[in-house]
Amino acid sequence: MRCIIANFAFDLTAREVTDAMSGVSPEPITGPSVQIGRHLYPAKQVGAVVTRQDRRDFTAGEVTRAMTRLGFTCHAAPPAASGAVETASELLGKPTDG
């Protein structure tokens, strides 16, 4: 399937993506992610491995659109860190705004 990432056309198949990501250790998830096999990878990591482009050259949205079209499950960014700060404040007994 033809996918456009960073203004370049790539003819990708799900099998090619799976093969490219096999043996690659997932980085910590801080934004949108892609489920490939049993692993959850950051979208930017998948894009960098599959396209061999610098991560600054494309967006996570471009990668998740392409991976969704190829049949992979994509996830939105994890909850914002502000929730963790509020929870930590509550644990410390400090009042929270809101």
Side-chain angles (χ1 to χ4, degrees), residues 29-67:
I29 306 295
T30 58
S33 58
V34 181
Q35 180 82 35
I36 300 175
R38 297 180 304 166
H39 299 286
L40 193 61
Y41 295 93
K44 288 279 212 167
Q45 181 183 16
V46 174
V49 170
V50 171
T51 68
R52 297 183 182 153
Q53 292 185 20
D54 190 285
R55 295 175 191 209
R56 295 172 291 183
D57 293 339
F58 56 86
T59 66
E62 290 175 293
V63 176
T64 55
R65 275 190 300 278
M67 295 302 114

